[in-house]
Amino acid sequence: MKKTPLALFLALGLLHTPLPVLAATAPLDLVQPVSDYKIYVTEQLDELASNTQKFTDAVKKGDLATAKKLYAPTRVYYESIEPIAELFSDLDASIDSRVDDHEKGVTAPDFTGFHRIEYSLFSENSTQGLDQLADGLNKDVKDLQARVAGLTFPPEKVVGGAAALMEEVAATKISGEEDRYSHTDLYDFQGNVDGAKKIFDLFRTQIEQNDKAFAAKVDKNFATVNKILAKYKTADGGFETYDKVKENDRKALVGPVNTLAEDLSTLRGKLGLN
Amino acid sequence: MPTPASGTPPRALRWAVAGSVIVMIAAGGLFYYASQLAAAKRKVHNNEVTVTIHPHSCEPNALTVPAGFNSFRIVNASERAVEWEILDGVLVVEERENIAPGLSQVINATLAPGDYAITCGLLSNPRGTLHVTPTAESEARANARPSMVAFIGPLSEFRVYLSSQGSALIKAVDALSQAIAADDLVQAQALYIPAREAYQRLAPAAQRLAELDNAINARADYFEKREQDPGFTGFHRLEYGLFDQRSTQGLIPVAQQLQANAIQLKQQLLAQSLPPEQLVSIVARTLHNLADTRANSGEEERYSHIDLSGFAANLEVARKVVDLLRPLLARKNADLLHSIDSASTSLEAELNGLKTAQGYRTYDTVSSEQRQQISNKAKVLADALDGIDPALGLSGL
């Protein structure tokens, strides 16, 4: 029998049906990116430790100007590796909790770490009484280094970390509440975005095998976010304060940030880790 | 073939049939999709536990749920944006941050049986408890052979270990090479030891790379003219010069080649994929080789007699592998894990007994009885390590 329009039509119809099963990622293919991610986190933590030392040295010397200058570029290493850092709930609280997490606010004795020091430096313009907080921060960062070194990274937390970082941006960075005293939110913003992009890049080969169009869409949204952030870069490699960010740019960030958070949340499933 | 005149009605009919078939397929598909969606919703809804965060407490603050997939709807009835976390010790299992006041969010968590803590809003609020009870499914899962996915973590961690030890080897060989270039015999002899230790931690993995490993580690026995053979290079050629000839003469190019090979080794080790059964078999093989040959003969470091520090480094990497598989072994065969641990403690104690304030004794001062003890203990450990493969079903993965 000759090919009829019906056969042709059915064949076309079948072709249009999305293929339900995509090539699954072999678990062993995830070993390289997961281990490369640990190597990246370890390097970031080394930077965090040495920069925290310099920052707290300035605080303890009473050098307010230097301490203020070093605050944001030091924190950024923590922000980029938050998916792993915040697995340790006790250290996450002592290093990075915000005033809202404490019932008694700034006077709470357990309000310690970066944001407590930020409060004194930027809101009170003072380094008074920060010695103990500075030593504590140094000790906690070293403790974090040791614990991360001994941690076998759970693959689903690594892959899930990309979305977690973008959710963090959506929840706390666009509103400008993270660094409310120093207004250095854009450093953290960039740190979160870089951390998420790092994870995406490490798993790029496996993701592209699975869904090339998806990878292209994610790339495009990362590029949009980075382009807007780049407008606020300063000559010294830092960022303008968050109050300088124009309303239309804040709005322009919301869409791609939310889409990235949503898209990246499908990575675990795409890589067979659900 | 139908004529054009009579062809029109059947063609129209065919199109109609085609159309209705398509509609039926589409309707069937939609029905299937809708029923799946409804089933998924029911499933989520069935397991959903609601927790309300008040300003100073959570309600309920003591939860009991069955193992497996659970949904928690967290309602924030406090005045601040807060977080809710499930903790296993200090480690976060699942969390949701920044739940806005007056709103709720759902946390999905797949939980293993056990007792967890939950944080509830403000850091000063009392922590809650989460008791996860075993189910038939979770019991079956615990008894089942671990899947390949369970080895991604341990294998990744081993690759990180190869990376850091590879860097340590490069650094140690560079320092050794510098001392040779400076014609500092005493310093070069001293730096030979840490460089060998770094190599011995990589040895089980390095031995998979036959040719490169020979260039780094082959002993004189493997060459026709032994020490005089131009093909004799690498660590042992340096050892021969530094400890037997007591001279750095002619060693500069050998040291430079070893530097280049150490860089190569790190790169190639990171490029190799290591299946789970080999993670175990390579360290077991190194210890069998120690038990069968090296412990008694002392042939490995025959000019410098620094064998003991190499044995200790071999033990160290074997322990690393055991530690990486510890959670799986504890679950599948705790007795085997116990035997492995006591065998490795026993071998370590034997080696430590041969330590002085300056480090390990040289192997030429270790008696044949003591060598036999090392051999015996290495064999007990190697045999115990051979039990891991069947216990975890590695070869069948």
Side-chain angles (χ1 to χ4, degrees), chain A residues 186 228 232 241-247 249-250 253:
Chain A
L186 286 179
I228 297 173
Y232 297 97
T241 52
Y242 199 63
D243 44 299
K244 302 267 171 35
V245 179
K246 295 192 193 79
E247 195 53 36
D249 280 332
R250 290 190 196 205
L253 284 166

Side-chain angles (χ1 to χ4, degrees), chain B residues 42-121:
Chain B
R42 263 199 310 278
K43 188 180 160 205
V44 167
H45 196 73
N46 265 349
N47 284 349
E48 198 170 282
V49 176
T50 300
V51 177
T52 306
I53 302 180
H54 297 297
H56 296 288
S57 64
C58 281
E59 186 190 343
N61 210 26
L63 299 167
T64 299
V65 298
F69 182 86
N70 282 281
S71 289
F72 301 90
R73 176 170 292 280
I74 312 303
V75 181
N76 184 1
S78 79
E79 253 95 82
R80 308 190 197 198
V82 290
E83 64 179 359
W84 193 83
E85 297 171 320
I86 301 172
L87 302 180
D88 182 5
V90 297
L91 272 182
V92 176
V93 179
E94 287 296 341
E95 67 175 345
R96 189 65 77 240
E97 294 182 311
N98 299 294
I99 306 168
L103 296 183
S104 73
Q105 286 204 27
V106 174
I107 300 180
N108 293 325
T110 302
L111 298 166
D115 285 300
Y116 301 83
I118 45 185
T119 63
C120 156

Side-chain angles (χ1 to χ4, degrees), chain A residues 155-161 264-274, chain B residues 94 108 110:
Chain A
E156 69 282 2
K157 293 283 180 203
V158 172
V159 171
L264 293 173
S265 72
T266 65
L267 283 187
R268 275 165 65 153
K270 279 186 162 33
L271 297 174
L273 291 172
N274 267 347
Chain B
E94 287 296 341
N108 293 325
T110 302

Side-chain angles (χ1 to χ4, degrees), chain A residues 35 38 87 89 101 103 157, chain B residues 56 90 92-93 123 157 159:
Chain A
S35 50
K38 177 152 186 182
L87 287 178
S89 61
D101 299 322
E103 188 184 355
K157 293 283 180 203
Chain B
H56 296 288
V90 297
V92 176
V93 179
L123 291 169
E157 194 57 23
R159 188 169 175 272

Side-chain angles (χ1 to χ4, degrees), chain A residues 19-71:
Chain A
L19 294 171
V21 185
L22 290 163
T25 307
L28 289 190
D29 288 347
L30 300 178
V31 169
Q32 182 164 336
V34 169
S35 50
D36 282 340
Y37 184 64
K38 177 152 186 182
I39 293 168
Y40 163 78
V41 170
T42 306
E43 287 165 359
Q44 296 292 102
L45 274 173
D46 290 347
E47 290 290 337
L48 177 67
S50 64
N51 282 283
T52 301
Q53 186 67 55
K54 282 183 213 148
F55 168 60
T56 53
D57 283 351
V59 169
K60 287 176 77 176
K61 262 193 287 181
D63 184 348
L64 182 64
T66 305
K68 278 182 163 181
K69 207 174 93 191
L70 294 181
Y71 169 75

Side-chain angles (χ1 to χ4, degrees), chain A:
Chain A
M1 190 175 136
K2 249 182 78 171
K3 267 189 197 142
T4 61
L6 170 61
L8 207 71
F9 205 83
L10 281 177
L12 281 173
L14 283 176
L15 282 178
H16 274 271
T17 315
L19 294 171
V21 185
L22 290 163
T25 307
L28 289 190
D29 288 347
L30 300 178
V31 169
Q32 182 164 336
V34 169
S35 50
D36 282 340
Y37 184 64
K38 177 152 186 182
I39 293 168
Y40 163 78
V41 170
T42 306
E43 287 165 359
Q44 296 292 102
L45 274 173
D46 290 347
E47 290 290 337
L48 177 67
S50 64
N51 282 283
T52 301
Q53 186 67 55
K54 282 183 213 148
F55 168 60
T56 53
D57 283 351
V59 169
K60 287 176 77 176
K61 262 193 287 181
D63 184 348
L64 182 64
T66 305
K68 278 182 163 181
K69 207 174 93 191
L70 294 181
Y71 169 75
T74 301
R75 275 184 57 68
V76 77
Y77 297 105
Y78 190 85
E79 292 290 319
S80 63
I81 57 152
E82 252 186 311
I84 294 303
E86 68 187 12
L87 287 178
F88 300 98
S89 61
D90 55 338
L91 289 178
D92 192 39
S94 63
I95 293 172
D96 196 39
S97 68
R98 282 172 288 131
V99 66
D100 322 64
D101 299 322
H102 302 274
E103 188 184 355
K104 298 197 172 118
V106 287
T107 58
D110 60 348
F111 180 31
T112 59
F114 277 116
H115 295 302
R116 174 62 188 84
I117 296 176
E118 178 198 9
Y119 169 76
S120 289
L121 297 180
F122 292 90
S123 186
E124 305 202 296
N125 264 306
S126 163
T127 56
Q128 287 291 305
L130 292 181
D131 278 18
Q132 214 182 330
L133 288 163
D135 290 341
L137 179 60
N138 251 315
K139 187 172 151 290
D140 287 341
V141 166
K142 288 195 179 114
D143 193 3
L144 179 63
Q145 252 184 320
R147 288 203 216 168
V148 169
L151 176 74
T152 296
F153 282 20
E156 69 282 2
K157 293 283 180 203
V158 172
V159 171
L165 281 162
M166 295 315 297
E167 280 160 16
E168 166 105 8
V169 169
T172 63
K173 300 305 185 303
I174 292 183
S175 62
E177 68 179 80
E178 173 101 34
D179 299 293
R180 66 188 60 181
Y181 313 114
S182 61
H183 307 294
T184 55
D185 305 78
L186 286 179
Y187 287 81
D188 292 9
F189 200 132
Q190 185 77 61
N192 289 160
V193 171
D194 289 350
K197 176 118 192 336
K198 180 74 191 182
I199 294 170
F200 181 73
D201 284 342
L202 286 174
F203 291 90
R204 176 178 295 279
T205 313
Q206 290 75 23
I207 296 165
E208 284 183 345
Q209 273 167 10
N210 193 306
D211 192 345
K212 205 149 192 170
F214 170 83
K217 183 186 171 205
V218 171
D219 276 332
K220 194 169 149 271
N221 280 318
F222 270 128
T224 307
V225 171
N226 276 325
K227 203 171 151 194
I228 297 173
L229 289 176
K231 285 201 219 169
Y232 297 97
K233 276 204 174 127
T234 53
D236 62 355
F239 282 97
E240 307 261 17
T241 52
Y242 199 63
D243 44 299
K244 302 267 171 35
V245 179
K246 295 192 193 79
E247 195 53 36
N248 62 332
D249 280 332
R250 290 190 196 205
K251 279 190 184 143
L253 284 166
V254 173
V257 163
N258 285 330
T259 310
L260 279 170
E262 259 170 56
D263 285 348
L264 293 173
S265 72
T266 65
L267 283 187
R268 275 165 65 153
K270 279 186 162 33
L271 297 174
L273 291 172
N274 267 347

Side-chain angles (χ1 to χ4, degrees), chain B residues 117-150:
Chain B
I118 45 185
T119 63
C120 156
L122 294 173
L123 291 169
S124 51
N125 286 352
R127 287 197 173 168
T129 59
L130 173 62
H131 180 61
V132 180
T133 55
T135 61
E137 198 189 330
S138 74
E139 291 292 282
R141 190 176 293 252
N143 291 323
R145 204 175 66 190
S147 73
M148 194 60 110
V149 173

